[in-house]
Amino acid sequence: MLQKCATCAAMTAALLMPLSTAAAAVAFERGPAISELSVLISGPPIKDANALLRYALPINNKSIKEVQKSLEEITDEMRIPGEKALGPVGQSVRQAARVLNQNKTQILADIADSKKQEGEQLLTALNEGLQDYQKQLESKDRSIVFPKQKELLRVVGDIEEAMVAKFPFEIPEEFADRPILKGRATLEMKINVKDNPNVKDAVLQIVVDGYNAPVTAGNFVDLVERHFYDGMEIQRSDGFVVQTGDPEGPAEGFVNPATGLVRTVPLEIMVDGEKAPIYGSTLEELGMYKARTKLPFNAFGTMAMAREEFDNDSGSSQVFWLLKESELTPSSANILDGRYTVFGYVTENEDLLADLKVGDVIESIRVVNGLDNLVNPSYKAGAV
């Protein structure tokens, strides 16, 4: 078990709950003792899903990251009550504009050659948006702050994605013929909520990340295109996770009709500083207790692949969404990071996950953007 300490005792009780469905034992392992207190208090976690996705991109342009950081700091600055918050907010917006104007050439130079025109348009939109933001703040109206921040951070994210010229690493040969997501995809999940007077239909946006979990994300998108999840019920909802993906019948995952066997995916963990994911081993097994995962269990609505407790490579179709935020422990210091494959986040309406109950039905999951990043799709005729 995790050691009892002032910074982690509260989370231990919640995070040592098993994760399973009626048909399969897919449990969270109990974590090892972590004696490095410095790991636990190294800094507050980033809990915003969109920010986590921005930081997880395989790019290294310090200027655009500085623009991003200035805009993200607005969230904390808005905790100051009343109009007093607008002074620091205005400073952050001006700082973002200064960095952008001073480094526009260098930022544009890092845009992929095939996306230069798009990059120029995005930089123009960001510059104009920052100028407009400063003018809007003159009204002293707090209500405009967060919508404009979200709009501009979306543009920043688009600029950063345009910096990725090609998929950054080679998929290991043993997985290379699987459905692979070489990039990102945005999906819309519609759920029919049965017995909640306040919510009838929940529509959530999910971004799955193939830059950091290409095999797992590719497997999921391929299943979505097969309509595997359409009509499936939510199978677990306990205040800790929401889980689904266990099909009817004895199989505990997706049975490939071409082989008659359950298609599995390996444990897939991308670590900060590594060029490619680690496959098949937990970070605990590798002794990498201080390693930080690129896609941590920090955000409410973190999406991960469930698996059997003692088989790292047994993931197939069962997925779960975390209903907790990493309030007390930063990335790498909770019992989930490095043990389960995170491959995406709910980026819009994630709060609706808390309203879902066992028996609610997934009406559909659809890919709305990024399907062209899927290679080796098995859902197409003739594919296996």
Coordinates of all heavy atoms in Angstrom, one line a residue, residues 63-95:
S63 N 8.8 29.6 -27.3 CA 8.0 30.8 -27.4 C 6.5 30.5 -27.4 O 5.8 31.2 -26.6 CB 8.4 31.5 -28.7 OG 9.8 31.9 -28.7
I64 N 6.1 29.6 -28.1 CA 4.6 29.3 -28.1 C 4.2 28.7 -26.8 O 3.1 29.0 -26.3 CB 4.2 28.4 -29.3 CG1 2.7 28.4 -29.5 CG2 4.7 27.0 -29.1 CD1 2.2 29.8 -29.9
K65 N 5.1 28.0 -26.1 CA 4.8 27.5 -24.8 C 4.7 28.6 -23.8 O 3.9 28.5 -22.9 CB 5.9 26.5 -24.4 CG 5.8 25.1 -25.1 CD 4.5 24.4 -24.9 CE 4.4 23.1 -25.6 NZ 3.1 22.5 -25.5
E66 N 5.5 29.7 -24.0 CA 5.4 30.8 -23.1 C 4.1 31.5 -23.3 O 3.5 32.0 -22.3 CB 6.6 31.7 -23.3 CG 6.7 32.8 -22.3 CD 7.9 33.7 -22.4 OE1 8.9 33.3 -23.1 OE2 7.9 34.8 -21.8
V67 N 3.6 31.7 -24.5 CA 2.3 32.2 -24.8 C 1.2 31.4 -24.1 O 0.3 31.9 -23.5 CB 2.1 32.3 -26.3 CG1 0.6 32.8 -26.6 CG2 3.1 33.3 -27.0
Q68 N 1.3 30.1 -24.3 CA 0.4 29.2 -23.7 C 0.4 29.3 -22.2 O -0.7 29.4 -21.6 CB 0.8 27.7 -24.1 CG -0.1 26.7 -23.4 CD 0.4 25.3 -23.7 OE1 1.0 25.0 -24.7 NE2 0.3 24.4 -22.7
K69 N 1.5 29.4 -21.6 CA 1.6 29.5 -20.1 C 1.0 30.8 -19.6 O 0.3 30.8 -18.6 CB 3.1 29.4 -19.7 CG 3.3 29.4 -18.2 CD 4.8 29.2 -17.8 CE 5.0 29.2 -16.3 NZ 4.7 30.5 -15.7
S70 N 1.2 31.9 -20.3 CA 0.6 33.1 -19.9 C -0.9 33.1 -19.9 O -1.5 33.6 -19.0 CB 1.2 34.3 -20.8 OG 2.5 34.5 -20.6
L71 N -1.4 32.5 -20.9 CA -2.9 32.4 -21.0 C -3.5 31.4 -20.0 O -4.5 31.6 -19.5 CB -3.3 32.0 -22.5 CG -3.1 33.0 -23.5 CD1 -3.3 32.4 -24.9 CD2 -4.0 34.2 -23.3
E72 N -2.7 30.3 -19.7 CA -3.2 29.4 -18.8 C -3.2 29.9 -17.3 O -4.0 29.6 -16.5 CB -2.4 28.1 -18.8 CG -2.7 27.3 -20.1 CD -1.7 26.1 -20.2 OE1 -0.7 26.0 -19.5 OE2 -2.0 25.2 -21.1
E73 N -2.3 30.8 -17.1 CA -2.2 31.4 -15.7 C -3.4 32.2 -15.4 O -3.7 32.5 -14.2 CB -0.9 32.3 -15.6 CG 0.3 31.5 -15.5 CD 1.6 32.3 -15.6 OE1 1.5 33.6 -15.9 OE2 2.7 31.8 -15.3
I74 N -4.2 32.6 -16.4 CA -5.4 33.4 -16.1 C -6.4 32.6 -15.2 O -7.1 33.2 -14.4 CB -6.1 33.8 -17.5 CG1 -5.2 34.8 -18.2 CG2 -7.5 34.3 -17.3 CD1 -5.6 35.0 -19.6
T75 N -6.4 31.3 -15.4 CA -7.3 30.5 -14.5 C -7.1 30.7 -13.1 O -8.0 30.9 -12.3 CB -7.1 29.0 -14.9 OG1 -7.4 28.8 -16.3 CG2 -8.1 28.1 -14.1
D76 N -5.8 30.7 -12.7 CA -5.5 30.9 -11.2 C -5.7 32.4 -10.9 O -6.2 32.7 -9.7 CB -4.0 30.6 -11.0 CG -3.8 29.0 -11.0 OD1 -4.8 28.3 -10.7 OD2 -2.7 28.6 -11.2
E77 N -5.4 33.3 -11.8 CA -5.6 34.7 -11.5 C -7.1 35.1 -11.2 O -7.4 36.0 -10.4 CB -5.0 35.6 -12.6 CG -3.5 35.5 -12.7 CD -3.0 35.9 -14.0 OE1 -3.7 36.1 -15.0 OE2 -1.7 35.9 -14.2
M78 N -8.0 34.3 -11.9 CA -9.4 34.6 -11.7 C -10.0 34.1 -10.4 O -11.1 34.4 -10.1 CB -10.2 34.0 -12.8 CG -10.1 34.8 -14.1 SD -10.8 36.4 -14.0 CE -12.6 36.0 -14.0
R79 N -9.1 33.5 -9.5 CA -9.6 33.2 -8.2 C -9.6 34.4 -7.3 O -10.2 34.3 -6.2 CB -8.6 32.1 -7.6 CG -8.7 30.8 -8.4 CD -7.7 29.8 -7.8 NE -7.8 28.5 -8.6 CZ -7.0 27.5 -8.4 NH1 -6.0 27.6 -7.5 NH2 -7.2 26.4 -9.1
I80 N -9.0 35.4 -7.7 CA -9.0 36.7 -7.0 C -10.4 37.3 -7.1 O -11.0 37.3 -8.2 CB -8.0 37.7 -7.5 CG1 -6.6 37.1 -7.4 CG2 -8.1 39.0 -6.7 CD1 -5.5 38.0 -8.1
P81 N -11.1 37.6 -6.0 CA -12.5 38.1 -6.2 C -12.6 39.5 -6.8 O -11.7 40.3 -6.8 CB -13.0 38.2 -4.7 CG -11.7 38.4 -3.9 CD -10.6 37.6 -4.6
G82 N -13.8 39.6 -7.5 CA -14.2 40.9 -8.0 C -13.3 41.4 -9.2 O -12.6 40.6 -9.8
E83 N -13.2 42.7 -9.3 CA -12.5 43.3 -10.4 C -10.9 43.3 -10.2 O -10.2 43.5 -11.1 CB -12.9 44.8 -10.6 CG -14.3 44.9 -11.2 CD -14.6 46.4 -11.5 OE1 -13.7 47.2 -11.4 OE2 -15.8 46.7 -11.8
K84 N -10.5 42.9 -9.0 CA -9.1 42.9 -8.7 C -8.4 41.8 -9.5 O -7.2 42.0 -9.8 CB -8.9 42.6 -7.2 CG -9.3 43.7 -6.3 CD -9.0 43.3 -4.8 CE -9.4 44.5 -3.9 NZ -9.1 44.1 -2.5
A85 N -9.1 40.8 -10.0 CA -8.5 39.8 -10.8 C -8.1 40.3 -12.2 O -7.2 39.8 -12.8 CB -9.5 38.6 -10.9
L86 N -8.8 41.3 -12.6 CA -8.7 41.7 -14.0 C -7.3 42.4 -14.3 O -6.9 42.4 -15.4 CB -9.8 42.6 -14.4 CG -11.2 42.0 -14.3 CD1 -12.3 43.0 -14.8 CD2 -11.3 40.7 -15.2
G87 N -6.7 42.9 -13.2 CA -5.4 43.5 -13.4 C -4.3 42.4 -13.8 O -3.7 42.5 -14.8
P88 N -4.2 41.4 -13.0 CA -3.3 40.3 -13.3 C -3.6 39.6 -14.6 O -2.8 39.2 -15.4 CB -3.4 39.3 -12.1 CG -3.8 40.2 -11.0 CD -4.7 41.2 -11.6
V89 N -4.9 39.5 -14.9 CA -5.4 38.9 -16.2 C -4.9 39.7 -17.3 O -4.3 39.2 -18.3 CB -6.9 38.7 -16.2 CG1 -7.3 38.4 -17.6 CG2 -7.4 37.7 -15.2
G90 N -5.0 41.0 -17.2 CA -4.6 41.9 -18.3 C -3.1 41.8 -18.5 O -2.6 41.8 -19.6
Q91 N -2.3 41.7 -17.4 CA -0.9 41.6 -17.5 C -0.5 40.3 -18.3 O 0.4 40.3 -19.1 CB -0.3 41.6 -16.1 CG -0.4 42.9 -15.4 CD 0.2 42.8 -14.0 OE1 0.7 41.8 -13.6 NE2 0.0 43.9 -13.2
S92 N -1.2 39.2 -18.0 CA -0.9 37.9 -18.6 C -1.2 38.0 -20.1 O -0.5 37.5 -21.0 CB -1.8 36.8 -18.0 OG -1.3 36.5 -16.7
V93 N -2.3 38.7 -20.5 CA -2.7 38.8 -21.9 C -1.6 39.7 -22.6 O -1.2 39.3 -23.7 CB -4.1 39.4 -22.0 CG1 -4.4 39.7 -23.5 CG2 -5.1 38.5 -21.4
R94 N -1.2 40.7 -22.0 CA -0.2 41.6 -22.6 C 1.1 40.9 -22.7 O 1.8 41.0 -23.8 CB 0.0 42.9 -21.8 CG -1.2 43.8 -21.9 CD -0.8 45.2 -21.3 NE -0.6 45.1 -19.8 CZ -1.6 45.2 -18.9 NH1 -2.9 45.4 -19.3 NH2 -1.4 45.1 -17.6
Q95 N 1.5 40.0 -21.7 CA 2.7 39.3 -21.8 C 2.6 38.3 -23.0 O 3.6 38.1 -23.7 CB 2.9 38.5 -20.5 CG 4.1 37.5 -20.5 CD 5.5 38.2 -20.8 OE1 5.6 39.4 -20.7 NE2 6.5 37.3 -21.0

